[in-house]
Amino acid sequence: MKLQRKNRLRATALGALAVSGALVLTACGSDDNSGSTGDGGKTSAASNIKCDDAKGKLLASGSSAQKLAMDLWVKNYMAGCSGIEVNYKSSSSGEGIVAFNQGTVGFAGTDSALKPEEVAESKKMCKGGQGINLPMVGGPVAIGYNLEGVDSLTLDAPTLAKIFDNKIKKWNDPAIAKLNSGTKLPDKDIQAFHRSEDSGTTQNLGKYLGAAAPNEWKYEAEKKWPAPGGQSASNSSGVAAQVKQVDGAIGYFELSYATSQSISTVDIDTGGAAPVKATSENASKAIAAAKIKGTGKDLALELDYATKAEGAYPLVLVTYEVVCDKGNKPETLSTVKSFLNYTAGDEGQKLLSEAGYAPIPAEINAKVRETIASLS
């Protein structure tokens, strides 16, 4: 009950209940989804969710970046489709891909598209097919900070790179002061936090720093944290919790975590006319310029992390749901298609903006829906 109350409060903080009184938006933890109401499996009058031939229990796991969105989606879907249980375990992108390739989940969530070797591994489980990436959730990776007396903070990619590489160690460092003229910065140690486990969020931060500050960030963009120093915490929720508690802290996590915990976020100086705030709208401007780089039914995207477009927040990620294009398990295929049809639909995507995420651009989302319909 304590877990449920905590997550209900989180969902309320996100403003999710404002969507519609007809929707059941109380977000129970992703590992504790039970109970449902509905009309017996066709179309829910309350939310227009098409349950189709969905049945039984669907297990999924992976990215913690999409946890708050997935909590809402799962609860709504189960409320609209009687007798169906969907359980999404929020862990990490790396763990989700492993679980998918081991055949223990119906789909996985990952903040980085499958690598060639992961696709090759997926062919053992996807009989006659392979794992593909379906972009489902977009959003800014916020740089959250906790610095007493400092309510507004601007940083650029080179400065962020040096902070996370343990080369800028004080909050009143000249590089930070130069970007924050008129702000009194304390002579205080910087406490930089990063993810302890393999994380797609970490990889997206690395891609941004590598593209926008190549001279300062020399590491390959991988899921494992590459730089020395700093402190680690588990999952986005863990990093956010540390930043919330520790004066002088800085870390990275999805905007939804900053929103739900009232954590201050950094404005990023991209070299444009003005620093850009971490908002869903500004992230959408960056994601809208993404191009599909996947082939066949794979819809992996290429993002421009070095964008200087006005109002475009460059540090973004896209969370993919990984499924088999062919060879999905017969016992869960109908439920996977029904559930993902809901999340990719107008109703599911509408929830994202209100929960601190960014919807997938319409042109790309249309291809996602088409691909979902073709899964076999």
Side-chain angles (χ1 to χ4, degrees):
M1 294 297 294
K2 289 182 179 179
L3 175 61
Q4 291 176 334
R5 284 197 295 271
K6 178 179 179 182
N7 286 329
R8 288 191 186 103
L9 289 172
R10 176 183 296 155
T12 302
L14 290 172
L17 291 177
V19 178
S20 171
L23 297 180
V24 182
L25 294 181
T26 306
C28 287
S30 60
D31 295 330
D32 185 26
N33 298 314
S34 58
S36 62
T37 59
D39 63 355
K42 292 190 178 179
T43 299
S44 167
S47 58
N48 298 315
I49 295 174
K50 294 182 179 180
C51 309
D52 297 325
D53 297 321
K55 58 187 177 182
K57 185 175 183 178
L58 173 62
L59 300 179
S61 70
S63 164
S64 64
Q66 66 174 355
K67 172 178 163 42
L68 302 183
M70 193 62 72
D71 284 348
L72 296 176
W73 282 337
V74 166
K75 197 63 181 180
N76 286 353
Y77 182 80
M78 288 170 55
C81 295
S82 178
I84 301 171
E85 181 180 350
V86 179
N87 189 309
Y88 181 81
K89 181 181 179 183
S90 171
S91 51
S92 69
S93 298
E95 292 175 71
I97 292 171
V98 169
F100 177 77
N101 282 340
Q102 290 177 342
T104 60
V105 295
F107 70 88
T110 176
D111 307 325
S112 292
L114 294 169
K115 294 180 179 179
E117 59 267 29
E118 291 169 337
V119 174
E121 183 70 18
S122 74
K123 293 179 180 180
K124 300 176 185 177
M125 198 275 293
C126 302
K127 304 301 182 184
Q130 65 179 48
I132 58 172
N133 304 279
L134 301 178
M136 197 67 67
V137 181
V141 178
I143 303 296
Y145 72 96
N146 180 354
L147 193 57
E148 186 177 357
V150 178
D151 299 324
S152 178
L153 185 69
T154 296
L155 297 173
D156 59 13
T159 306
L160 281 168
K162 291 177 181 177
I163 288 173
F164 283 113
D165 199 17
N166 203 35
K167 292 178 179 175
I168 291 180
K169 301 182 180 183
K170 291 282 189 178
W171 278 110
N172 63 347
D173 187 276
I176 301 176
K178 184 178 180 180
L179 293 164
N180 295 275
S181 178
T183 299
K184 186 176 181 180
L185 297 166
D187 181 12
K188 185 176 294 182
D189 290 341
I190 295 174
Q191 308 288 336
F193 287 89
H194 58 263
R195 291 281 290 272
S196 58
E197 72 288 345
D198 286 3
S199 160
T201 311
T202 294
Q203 189 169 32
N204 279 277
L205 174 65
K207 289 178 179 178
Y208 162 68
L209 294 176
N215 294 327
E216 291 78 16
W217 191 257
K218 300 294 187 180
Y219 305 101
E220 291 294 324
E222 299 290 349
K223 292 187 176 77
K224 184 177 180 63
W225 181 255
Q231 302 173 65
S232 64
S234 179
N235 299 325
S236 292
S237 58
V239 175
Q242 291 298 317
V243 172
K244 176 77 172 178
Q245 295 168 11
V246 178
D247 186 25
I250 189 169
Y252 58 95
F253 35 80
E254 295 67 41
L255 179 63
S256 54
Y257 289 92
T259 302
S260 65
Q261 298 189 47
S262 300
I263 297 172
S264 298
T265 60
V266 169
D267 297 343
I268 293 184
D269 184 343
T270 64
V276 184
K277 294 186 178 297
T279 68
S280 297
E281 294 77 13
N282 291 343
S284 292
K285 293 176 184 177
I287 296 172
K291 294 179 173 58
I292 295 175
K293 65 177 181 180
T295 58
K297 293 184 179 180
D298 184 75
L299 299 178
L301 302 179
E302 183 175 356
L303 299 167
D304 181 7
Y305 294 95
T307 180
K308 292 181 173 61
E310 294 304 316
Y313 185 81
L315 181 44
V316 295
L317 62 73
V318 170
T319 298
Y320 302 94
E321 312 311 338
V322 176
V323 294
C324 299
D325 57 355
K326 298 178 182 178
N328 290 279
K329 293 183 178 179
E331 62 268 28
T332 57
L333 175 59
S334 58
T335 308
V336 166
K337 293 176 71 171
S338 172
F339 179 71
L340 294 183
N341 269 323
Y342 162 62
T343 65
D346 292 339
E347 192 173 294
Q349 289 289 298
K350 179 183 177 183
L351 284 180
L352 294 178
S353 295
E354 301 177 31
Y357 297 98
I360 299 301
E363 182 179 347
I364 296 172
N365 185 250
K367 296 180 179 179
V368 172
R369 297 190 207 189
E370 180 182 329
T371 302
I372 293 169
S374 73
L375 299 179
S376 62

